[in-house]
Amino acid sequence: MNVYDSWRIAAMLDARGMEQTDSVADADIIILNTCSVREKATNKVFSELGRIRDAKKPNALFGIVGCVAREAGATAFHRMPDLNFVLGPQSYHKLPQILENPDARLLNIDLSGLEKFDEMPQMVTAPVVSYIPIQEGCDHCCTYCIVPYTRGREISRPFADVMRDTLHAVKTGAFEICFLGQNVNGYKYTDGNGKTYHLSDLIRETAKIPHLYRIRFTSSYPTEMTDDLIEMFKTEPKLLPFLNMPIQSGSPDVLKRMNRPYSLDSYLEIIDKLRAARPDIQISSDFIVGFPGETDADFEQTLKIAKQVRYINSYSFKYSPRPHTAAALMPDQIPENIKRERLAILDNTLNEIQREFNETCVDKTFTCLCEGSDKTGRHLLYRTPYMQQCIVQNRDDSSAIADIKITAANRASLRGKDVTLK
Ligand code: 5AD
Ligand code: SF4
């Protein structure tokens, strides 16, 4: 979501005749887009701001946007008096105000909902893989998570707006779209005629767009994986056979304290249904280790479920206490060294599963999408339907979508040969 927000900010500055530069010393405006989901990223923000302040031109405007801006609010100006603006994740469309009035200080951390999507100009050229936000915020209130505070309550964008943005992206260069939302499968929009649209409706309609080759969505909440959505994996070949559906922990006790009200059986049942709908589907997850009160036995259950589901690509984190969250106040906070140990063990397990899956791909052929080339230009970087990176020799006749036969694999990437070429 932050990557998408940064694109929109860049598009807005672009439309005002500005250009991007890699050098802080050259820039007339510097915007740090920030994430507060874990403490480590938050802590880095103010040291990074200090570095920017020391390197920038004296009259260059600089500020922070995103979730740390919302959390810090006016205190950001106390910690860093040189800041010109502090804008939350739903108010960065107010940025032009500071361009028009650079001597003022701009603070806006409102949760204004969808305004930003409508007030910002679109990108002139869409990336090959374009993100399309369809909802923002989250009503789930997991006890560890700051998102409901920083991004607010769940709100879904109008169906027609999402269709318009998707068509625009495809017309201007997108081959793949990824529907985005903190709780993307909770998408629910009722139009003026009382017709209600869900994510499955968006997939069905966008799949009809010619020259759009691949569709995916992230991130999904397990209990909102409804049958109409699962059915899409059966009926819409453009929907990639890959799904991020975080389980977070394999321990029913920890899940209860996380306020994630699903049982392991119901989670596994969803996976069975997905596999019945699309036998080649693969799943990825997010995990948190060292949640307050997590015992060795709880952690063992997380390892067990990881091996059982065989997630092919996952994100795992040490629990990080966040302001405004219930878990930060829970007893039995786990010491850092235990969190570190458990994370290393889980990462080893997940990496091994990923390597084994990648090895099963050797000799198979996948239709892949080219996302760019390496630095030398001698190799193209393709993505398989499972989001694996595949390195392929560059040729003049290479195309954006190609059938790639996998020739070698390690944990992090694959190598392949373009079999659409003679
Ligand atoms: N500590 C560690 N990880 C967290 N996440 C969210 N909040 C926290 C936290 N307080 C992780 C979850 C979520 C991902 C986006 O970030 O795994 O799925
Ligand atoms: Fe945070 Fe995701 Fe839970 Fe929502 S569902 S509160 S975004 S972890």
Side-chain angles (χ1 to χ4, degrees), residues 1-20 29-34 63-67 69 85-96 98-99 116-117 119-123 151:
M1 192 66 97
N2 271 17
V3 169
Y4 171 83
D5 287 341
S6 296
W7 285 353
R8 292 295 296 265
I9 294 170
M12 182 185 68
L13 297 174
D14 226 35
R16 293 174 164 256
M18 298 189 179
E19 281 171 26
Q20 287 189 47
I29 179 163
I30 302 146
I31 304 160
L32 195 65
N33 193 3
T34 59
I64 48 173
V65 301
C67 292
F85 54 92
V86 174
L87 295 171
Q90 291 184 5
S91 36
Y92 58 74
H93 56 290
K94 306 280 182 200
L95 205 55
I98 196 78
L99 302 174
K116 66 173 180 188
F117 295 117
E119 289 191 19
M120 307 274 288
Q122 286 290 353
M123 274 167 284
R151 297 249 180 194

Side-chain angles (χ1 to χ4, degrees), residues 222-290:
T223 57
E224 307 215 48
M225 212 62 218
T226 46
D227 288 346
D228 58 316
L229 185 53
I230 292 173
E231 178 75 9
M232 289 296 110
F233 285 96
K234 192 172 180 175
T235 56
E236 296 299 345
K238 287 184 182 180
L239 185 60
L240 292 179
F242 181 58
L243 176 71
N244 175 253
M245 187 171 71
I247 190 164
Q248 308 294 358
S249 168
S251 154
D253 290 343
V254 172
L255 286 174
K256 207 173 284 160
R257 289 202 302 281
M258 286 179 163
N259 191 30
R260 295 189 57 102
Y262 45 83
S263 66
L264 296 188
D265 282 348
S266 62
Y267 182 91
L268 293 171
E269 199 182 305
I270 297 164
I271 293 192
D272 285 346
K273 280 190 193 173
L274 285 161
R275 288 191 171 141
R278 185 83 190 246
D280 60 346
I281 199 166
Q282 298 294 340
I283 315 290
S284 93
S285 180
D286 297 358
F287 293 95
I288 295 177
V289 299

Side-chain angles (χ1 to χ4, degrees), residues 36-39 144-147 219 244 246 248 260 286-289 315-322 325:
S36 63
V37 85
R38 282 171 295 278
E39 195 179 10
Y144 53 80
C145 185
I146 197 173
V147 164
S219 243
N244 175 253
Q248 308 294 358
R260 295 189 57 102
D286 297 358
F287 293 95
I288 295 177
V289 299
Y315 303 92
S316 36
F317 311 103
K318 287 182 287 185
Y319 166 71
S320 164
R322 306 307 298 125
T325 63

Side-chain angles (χ1 to χ4, degrees), residues 251 253-254 257 290-299 319 327 330-335 342:
S251 154
D253 290 343
V254 172
R257 289 202 302 281
F291 186 79
E294 185 188 68
T295 61
D296 283 338
D298 289 323
F299 176 62
Y319 166 71
M330 285 181 183
D332 304 324
Q333 297 282 328
I334 304 296
R342 288 182 185 163

Side-chain angles (χ1 to χ4, degrees), residues 167-382:
L167 275 167
H168 176 82
V170 175
K171 247 192 243 157
T172 58
F175 284 75
E176 173 180 315
I177 55 151
C178 176
F179 291 126
L180 278 189
Q182 273 84 32
N183 183 31
V184 74
N185 54 346
Y187 176 84
K188 189 173 176 193
Y189 177 76
T190 305
D191 70 11
N193 301 323
K195 182 166 164 45
T196 298
Y197 297 89
H198 298 98
L199 178 56
S200 54
D201 298 304
L202 276 174
I203 292 168
R204 198 179 307 104
E205 277 311 301
T206 47
K208 293 178 188 158
I209 301 175
H211 308 299
L212 172 64
Y213 295 93
R214 319 211 295 188
I215 301 172
R216 60 190 168 99
F217 55 89
T218 197
S219 243
S220 292
Y221 193 83
T223 57
E224 307 215 48
M225 212 62 218
T226 46
D227 288 346
D228 58 316
L229 185 53
I230 292 173
E231 178 75 9
M232 289 296 110
F233 285 96
K234 192 172 180 175
T235 56
E236 296 299 345
K238 287 184 182 180
L239 185 60
L240 292 179
F242 181 58
L243 176 71
N244 175 253
M245 187 171 71
I247 190 164
Q248 308 294 358
S249 168
S251 154
D253 290 343
V254 172
L255 286 174
K256 207 173 284 160
R257 289 202 302 281
M258 286 179 163
N259 191 30
R260 295 189 57 102
Y262 45 83
S263 66
L264 296 188
D265 282 348
S266 62
Y267 182 91
L268 293 171
E269 199 182 305
I270 297 164
I271 293 192
D272 285 346
K273 280 190 193 173
L274 285 161
R275 288 191 171 141
R278 185 83 190 246
D280 60 346
I281 199 166
Q282 298 294 340
I283 315 290
S284 93
S285 180
D286 297 358
F287 293 95
I288 295 177
V289 299
F291 186 79
E294 185 188 68
T295 61
D296 283 338
D298 289 323
F299 176 62
E300 286 298 324
Q301 287 176 289
T302 296
L303 290 176
K304 188 170 161 218
I305 199 91
K307 289 179 196 156
Q308 192 174 344
V309 178
R310 297 194 66 76
Y311 297 102
I312 62 158
N313 177 3
S314 292
Y315 303 92
S316 36
F317 311 103
K318 287 182 287 185
Y319 166 71
S320 164
R322 306 307 298 125
H324 319 288
T325 63
L329 305 173
M330 285 181 183
D332 304 324
Q333 297 282 328
I334 304 296
E336 185 58 27
N337 61 330
I338 295 183
K339 287 189 210 171
R340 204 180 316 126
E341 234 169 68
R342 288 182 185 163
L343 184 66
I345 295 169
L346 178 60
D347 277 345
N348 265 339
T349 305
L350 293 170
N351 286 346
E352 187 56 20
I353 299 170
Q354 186 172 17
R355 191 182 56 76
E356 283 170 15
F357 174 70
N358 285 355
E359 282 168 0
T360 66
C361 295
V362 174
D363 290 335
K364 290 192 179 139
T365 299
F366 299 109
T367 304
C368 298
L369 172 62
C370 183
E371 290 188 0
S373 65
D374 66 0
K375 281 196 204 99
T376 65
R378 277 186 289 144
H379 298 102
L380 295 176
L381 305 175
Y382 280 85

